[in-house]
Amino acid sequence: MESKSKEQFVHSVFESIAPKYDMMNNILSFRRHKAWRKFTMNKIQVKPGETAIDLCCGTCDWTISLAKASGSGSIVGLDFSQNMLDYGADKIKQLGLDTQIKLIRGNAMSLPYEDNTFDYATIGFALRNVPDLEQVIREMQRVVKPGGMVVSLELSKPTWQPFKAMYYFYFQKVLPVLGKLIAKRYEQYRWLPESLVSFPDHIQLAAIFREQGLQHVEAYPLTGGVAALHIGLKGKSNSGV
């Protein structure tokens, strides 16, 4: 799929599944996505007052976690789906975080911020959906400060048999049917597992982080490799990526 047509298709997918996105996230991750995010927050150790941009923020669960951890720092949530942002905005307002979190409709491939702006750039369950993951990683690295952190939490590829076979059966056969029954969207949830087929595994993605110039790269497979956390630091002298 060409990058432009992929971008348009992904946009249509997330615009249409926004109302059931949180419920389907539970199904997609075996209800583990909250535990994965908690593990991630423990690893990255956001300090009071630090700033972050959360790319492809969806309905803003991770954006909210970053804001709570920072306490006072400015947090930006960016997504290209206005429908997703609208659902996220409701959550943020209910929690009284609307003065701390700014939501922007934008493109993760071309971030509307200056170099060296944020302490963290994060992306959750979306790197496999972008047209050019290397470009997104470069943009994340560009907008964090020297010493800042680039963080990806993403579905990955299990390596342990027989769990691997069971997982792929669930992901490719059962999940689209559940999507049809619960979210009334079959094609969209059939595409989501397909998006993982060509995506790098956790070792390959760590190598891509390093190739893009990130330092001290760490990769953590989660739940038997169903998901993976990747963390990389922007070099202190690499302020003009």
Side-chain angles (χ1 to χ4, degrees):
M1 190 180 291
E2 295 180 2
S3 62
K4 192 63 180 176
S5 61
K6 177 178 178 179
E7 183 176 347
Q8 291 168 344
F9 180 69
V10 171
H11 181 266
S12 70
V13 167
F14 285 96
E15 283 283 285
S16 67
I17 66 176
K20 300 287 186 179
Y21 181 74
D22 289 344
M23 182 189 301
M24 291 304 296
N25 256 359
N26 285 329
I27 295 169
L28 191 68
S29 69
F30 305 98
R31 300 186 65 86
R32 296 296 298 163
H33 66 100
K34 292 181 180 179
W36 297 338
R37 193 161 50 248
K38 183 177 180 181
F39 175 86
T40 299
M41 293 301 292
N42 286 337
K43 284 292 180 186
I44 66 176
Q45 290 292 308
V46 177
K47 297 176 181 62
E50 289 188 318
T51 60
I53 181 168
D54 185 24
L55 277 63
C56 308
C57 63
T59 57
C60 299
D61 283 350
W62 197 358
T63 322
I64 289 166
S65 295
L66 291 163
K68 287 180 175 179
S70 171
S72 60
S74 175
I75 309 296
V76 172
L78 178 142
D79 202 288
F80 68 168
S81 167
Q82 188 60 49
N83 227 2
M84 287 286 193
L85 291 172
D86 290 345
Y87 279 90
D90 286 342
K91 290 183 190 176
I92 289 166
K93 189 171 184 179
Q94 288 172 15
L95 292 167
L97 296 171
D98 43 327
T99 58
Q100 184 185 1
I101 297 174
K102 181 179 182 181
L103 296 183
I104 291 182
R105 186 177 181 186
N107 188 344
M109 304 260 292
S110 180
L111 299 176
Y113 288 95
E114 298 291 329
D115 297 358
N116 313 318
T117 299
F118 301 96
D119 295 300
Y120 296 86
T122 64
I123 185 166
F125 308 110
L127 196 56
R128 73 187 187 285
N129 297 326
V130 300
D132 184 340
L133 68 88
E134 287 93 349
Q135 173 62 18
V136 171
I137 293 168
R138 283 193 292 272
E139 278 292 274
M140 293 172 78
Q141 184 177 188
R142 180 183 67 78
V143 299
V144 296
K145 302 170 184 176
M149 197 174 288
V150 172
V151 187
S152 169
L153 178 59
E154 182 56 276
L155 296 177
S156 193
K157 298 177 178 179
T159 55
W160 176 61
Q161 292 284 16
F163 177 68
K164 180 179 179 180
M166 294 167 58
Y167 174 74
Y168 277 109
F169 176 80
Y170 169 81
F171 212 36
Q172 294 172 346
K173 304 297 184 184
V174 178
L175 177 65
V177 176
L178 292 173
K180 183 178 181 180
L181 291 172
I182 297 170
K184 304 296 187 280
R185 293 288 187 275
Y186 178 79
E187 289 297 324
Q188 288 85 341
Y189 280 96
R190 189 183 72 172
W191 177 79
L192 287 174
E194 289 175 358
S195 69
L196 191 58
V197 171
S198 59
F199 190 71
D201 63 25
H202 74 276
I203 296 172
Q204 294 166 333
L205 186 56
I208 292 170
F209 266 50
R210 295 185 184 99
E211 288 165 7
Q212 298 308 316
L214 289 164
Q215 301 178 5
H216 306 291
V217 175
E218 301 173 21
Y220 300 92
L222 304 170
T223 314
V226 168
L229 167 63
H230 288 77
I231 299 170
L233 300 182
K234 180 173 180 174
K236 294 280 188 180
S237 60
N238 197 11
S239 59
V241 177

